[in-house]
Amino acid sequence: MSSPRMSPNYKPLPVVVATAEGEWITDVGGRRYYDALAGYSSLNFGHRHPALIKATKDQMDRVTLVSRAFDFELLAPFAEKLTDLCGMDMMLPMNTGAEAVETAIKAARKWGHDVKGIEDNQSLIIVAEENFHGRTTTIVSFSSDDVARESFGPFSPGFLAVPYGDTEALAKAIEENADRLAAVLLEPIQGEAGVNIPPDDYLPAARRLTEEANALLILDEIQSGLGRTGYTFAWERVGVKPDIMTLGKALGGGIFPVSAAVGRKEVMGLLTPGTHGSTFGGNPIACALGIAVCDMLATGEYQARARELGEHFQARLEGMVREGLLLRKRGVGMWAGIDIDPDRASGRAVCELLMDKGVLAKDTHGSTVRFAPPLSTSKEDLDWMLDQLEAVLVEIRP
């Protein structure tokens, strides 16, 4: 039911959503679907979680926006809860994930100039190929996705892309640019690229190499963070703490856009009045939601669910690989990317067949399908979803 008045920048599945609760979506015709995408990890706690709905409604009855021209009673508590959850010193609240990444880039460049002494307009940030950090003009400047870049130049300078997961390539790039290197920006796990998980020694090497080069390590946890992998943050899997971390998506509970750049005081403290800001960043509703999300994660319940359910989830997908139904799968916790044999079907075709069976998922890069079920799902519902996936894969098998 796409409108001719809508810019066609998306090609959604032909499902028109009317209501949703938990892991289930109902369309305008009354048909129910299992949401196996969860808003690209925005809905880690499921649709319309009661605690998050209550926090939103309670705040809407009080005040909805004051702008950062004035303080608000929940802004400091939100900052304290989030920095405590992250084990960091300072946070800067924004709205979308892309804005959080832009904030981290600016903070890193400011640090590079003011602290490291890099000449003005000469700083460099090393990134990974196949990255996805958003779609602003700065961010697509260092994207390796031709669709994201084509016709959007001229592009912002100051970035160098190297192969993801390749420690040797990263070390070479850092060594050759150490004097003007402000930061290395990485996803602990690449989501949009198909849930690409680097070798276990990759992030520890990135941490060591940036420290040796007197540069910052920025980790984008917008999709991977806040419980998705079975850890509060994906970097905890390998014990690598960044200097700056970007958060978004699930930080707003799937209700409101809430994001933040969180980091060390020596970096985030450089953003003084006038250097950065946002009218809606840290607004009252965002603060109320952010506090509620932090409280839910502080118990460890959702991280534990992601680990326990995730073991079952990953084992069943691995079984489909062994049976020859899938070429391969990559995954951790409640997050997975599966590769379909392109001679059998495209990722889009598989998603359409899943839709016919009552499951909503998303394809990427041709023959890959991503799954990110809500962490609140029941094992029974998760198994039902996996049963539908297996049936589709059997259907397309020659």
Side-chain angles (χ1 to χ4, degrees), residues 110-122:
K110 182 84 168 145
W111 175 88
H113 179 270
D114 292 3
V115 177
K116 185 171 178 176
I118 300 171
E119 282 187 51
D120 203 15
N121 300 318
Q122 296 301 311

PDB file of all heavy atoms in Angstrom, residues 110-122:
ATOM      1  N   LYS A 110      37.955  16.527  17.242  1.00  0.00           N
ATOM      2  CA  LYS A 110      38.267  17.584  18.216  1.00  0.00           C
ATOM      3  C   LYS A 110      39.410  17.137  19.131  1.00  0.00           C
ATOM      4  O   LYS A 110      40.353  17.885  19.390  1.00  0.00           O
ATOM      5  CB  LYS A 110      37.009  17.891  19.034  1.00  0.00           C
ATOM      6  CG  LYS A 110      37.150  19.000  20.057  1.00  0.00           C
ATOM      7  CD  LYS A 110      36.952  20.352  19.438  1.00  0.00           C
ATOM      8  CE  LYS A 110      36.794  21.412  20.526  1.00  0.00           C
ATOM      9  NZ  LYS A 110      37.407  22.687  20.119  1.00  0.00           N
ATOM     10  N   TRP A 111      39.325  15.891  19.599  1.00  0.00           N
ATOM     11  CA  TRP A 111      40.389  15.343  20.431  1.00  0.00           C
ATOM     12  C   TRP A 111      41.705  15.290  19.653  1.00  0.00           C
ATOM     13  O   TRP A 111      42.769  15.643  20.172  1.00  0.00           O
ATOM     14  CB  TRP A 111      40.007  13.951  20.922  1.00  0.00           C
ATOM     15  CG  TRP A 111      41.088  13.265  21.695  1.00  0.00           C
ATOM     16  CD1 TRP A 111      41.328  13.343  23.035  1.00  0.00           C
ATOM     17  CD2 TRP A 111      42.112  12.407  21.165  1.00  0.00           C
ATOM     18  NE1 TRP A 111      42.420  12.581  23.377  1.00  0.00           N
ATOM     19  CE2 TRP A 111      42.921  11.999  22.243  1.00  0.00           C
ATOM     20  CE3 TRP A 111      42.410  11.945  19.884  1.00  0.00           C
ATOM     21  CZ2 TRP A 111      44.019  11.150  22.071  1.00  0.00           C
ATOM     22  CZ3 TRP A 111      43.492  11.107  19.707  1.00  0.00           C
ATOM     23  CH2 TRP A 111      44.291  10.717  20.798  1.00  0.00           C
ATOM     24  N   GLY A 112      41.629  14.842  18.413  1.00  0.00           N
ATOM     25  CA  GLY A 112      42.840  14.745  17.601  1.00  0.00           C
ATOM     26  C   GLY A 112      43.537  16.077  17.431  1.00  0.00           C
ATOM     27  O   GLY A 112      44.774  16.168  17.502  1.00  0.00           O
ATOM     28  N   HIS A 113      42.747  17.128  17.253  1.00  0.00           N
ATOM     29  CA  HIS A 113      43.323  18.468  17.070  1.00  0.00           C
ATOM     30  C   HIS A 113      43.788  19.058  18.394  1.00  0.00           C
ATOM     31  O   HIS A 113      44.933  19.513  18.530  1.00  0.00           O
ATOM     32  CB  HIS A 113      42.291  19.386  16.421  1.00  0.00           C
ATOM     33  CG  HIS A 113      42.771  20.777  16.207  1.00  0.00           C
ATOM     34  ND1 HIS A 113      42.621  21.771  17.155  1.00  0.00           N
ATOM     35  CD2 HIS A 113      43.417  21.345  15.171  1.00  0.00           C
ATOM     36  CE1 HIS A 113      43.149  22.895  16.694  1.00  0.00           C
ATOM     37  NE2 HIS A 113      43.638  22.669  15.497  1.00  0.00           N
ATOM     38  N   ASP A 114      42.905  19.050  19.403  1.00  0.00           N
ATOM     39  CA  ASP A 114      43.180  19.753  20.660  1.00  0.00           C
ATOM     40  C   ASP A 114      44.149  19.009  21.576  1.00  0.00           C
ATOM     41  O   ASP A 114      44.910  19.641  22.311  1.00  0.00           O
ATOM     42  CB  ASP A 114      41.873  20.001  21.427  1.00  0.00           C
ATOM     43  CG  ASP A 114      40.964  20.998  20.735  1.00  0.00           C
ATOM     44  OD1 ASP A 114      41.316  21.465  19.630  1.00  0.00           O
ATOM     45  OD2 ASP A 114      39.883  21.289  21.285  1.00  0.00           O
ATOM     46  N   VAL A 115      44.097  17.671  21.559  1.00  0.00           N
ATOM     47  CA  VAL A 115      44.900  16.890  22.496  1.00  0.00           C
ATOM     48  C   VAL A 115      46.114  16.256  21.812  1.00  0.00           C
ATOM     49  O   VAL A 115      47.248  16.424  22.279  1.00  0.00           O
ATOM     50  CB  VAL A 115      44.035  15.800  23.173  1.00  0.00           C
ATOM     51  CG1 VAL A 115      44.889  14.936  24.100  1.00  0.00           C
ATOM     52  CG2 VAL A 115      42.881  16.441  23.953  1.00  0.00           C
ATOM     53  N   LYS A 116      45.881  15.570  20.722  1.00  0.00           N
ATOM     54  CA  LYS A 116      46.993  14.909  20.045  1.00  0.00           C
ATOM     55  C   LYS A 116      47.868  15.885  19.261  1.00  0.00           C
ATOM     56  O   LYS A 116      49.044  15.635  19.035  1.00  0.00           O
ATOM     57  CB  LYS A 116      46.466  13.809  19.119  1.00  0.00           C
ATOM     58  CG  LYS A 116      47.564  12.986  18.454  1.00  0.00           C
ATOM     59  CD  LYS A 116      47.023  11.765  17.716  1.00  0.00           C
ATOM     60  CE  LYS A 116      48.133  10.989  17.035  1.00  0.00           C
ATOM     61  NZ  LYS A 116      47.661   9.742  16.398  1.00  0.00           N
ATOM     62  N   GLY A 117      47.278  17.013  18.850  1.00  0.00           N
ATOM     63  CA  GLY A 117      48.044  18.011  18.125  1.00  0.00           C
ATOM     64  C   GLY A 117      48.084  17.814  16.626  1.00  0.00           C
ATOM     65  O   GLY A 117      48.995  18.306  15.939  1.00  0.00           O
ATOM     66  N   ILE A 118      47.095  17.108  16.070  1.00  0.00           N
ATOM     67  CA  ILE A 118      47.012  16.940  14.620  1.00  0.00           C
ATOM     68  C   ILE A 118      46.697  18.298  13.983  1.00  0.00           C
ATOM     69  O   ILE A 118      45.883  19.067  14.496  1.00  0.00           O
ATOM     70  CB  ILE A 118      45.912  15.923  14.257  1.00  0.00           C
ATOM     71  CG1 ILE A 118      46.227  14.567  14.880  1.00  0.00           C
ATOM     72  CG2 ILE A 118      45.769  15.791  12.744  1.00  0.00           C
ATOM     73  CD1 ILE A 118      45.098  13.551  14.752  1.00  0.00           C
ATOM     74  N   GLU A 119      47.351  18.578  12.867  1.00  0.00           N
ATOM     75  CA  GLU A 119      47.109  19.848  12.174  1.00  0.00           C
ATOM     76  C   GLU A 119      45.645  19.960  11.786  1.00  0.00           C
ATOM     77  O   GLU A 119      44.995  18.970  11.458  1.00  0.00           O
ATOM     78  CB  GLU A 119      47.967  19.942  10.907  1.00  0.00           C
ATOM     79  CG  GLU A 119      49.411  20.307  11.139  1.00  0.00           C
ATOM     80  CD  GLU A 119      50.132  20.536   9.821  1.00  0.00           C
ATOM     81  OE1 GLU A 119      49.618  21.312   8.985  1.00  0.00           O
ATOM     82  OE2 GLU A 119      51.185  19.915   9.625  1.00  0.00           O
ATOM     83  N   ASP A 120      45.132  21.169  11.805  1.00  0.00           N
ATOM     84  CA  ASP A 120      43.733  21.407  11.449  1.00  0.00           C
ATOM     85  C   ASP A 120      43.456  20.886  10.038  1.00  0.00           C
ATOM     86  O   ASP A 120      44.254  21.090   9.120  1.00  0.00           O
ATOM     87  CB  ASP A 120      43.417  22.901  11.531  1.00  0.00           C
ATOM     88  CG  ASP A 120      41.939  23.147  11.731  1.00  0.00           C
ATOM     89  OD1 ASP A 120      41.215  22.197  12.095  1.00  0.00           O
ATOM     90  OD2 ASP A 120      41.501  24.304  11.533  1.00  0.00           O
ATOM     91  N   ASN A 121      42.341  20.208   9.881  1.00  0.00           N
ATOM     92  CA  ASN A 121      41.887  19.662   8.591  1.00  0.00           C
ATOM     93  C   ASN A 121      42.755  18.521   8.074  1.00  0.00           C
ATOM     94  O   ASN A 121      42.668  18.161   6.895  1.00  0.00           O
ATOM     95  CB  ASN A 121      41.806  20.754   7.518  1.00  0.00           C
ATOM     96  CG  ASN A 121      40.848  21.856   7.889  1.00  0.00           C
ATOM     97  OD1 ASN A 121      39.758  21.595   8.408  1.00  0.00           O
ATOM     98  ND2 ASN A 121      41.245  23.100   7.652  1.00  0.00           N
ATOM     99  N   GLN A 122      43.581  17.926   8.934  1.00  0.00           N
ATOM    100  CA  GLN A 122      44.463  16.839   8.504  1.00  0.00           C
ATOM    101  C   GLN A 122      44.172  15.515   9.210  1.00  0.00           C
ATOM    102  O   GLN A 122      44.817  14.516   8.924  1.00  0.00           O
ATOM    103  CB  GLN A 122      45.929  17.220   8.754  1.00  0.00           C
ATOM    104  CG  GLN A 122      46.412  18.407   7.952  1.00  0.00           C
ATOM    105  CD  GLN A 122      46.288  18.160   6.457  1.00  0.00           C
ATOM    106  OE1 GLN A 122      46.708  17.131   5.935  1.00  0.00           O
ATOM    107  NE2 GLN A 122      45.695  19.122   5.749  1.00  0.00           N
TER     108      GLN A 122
END
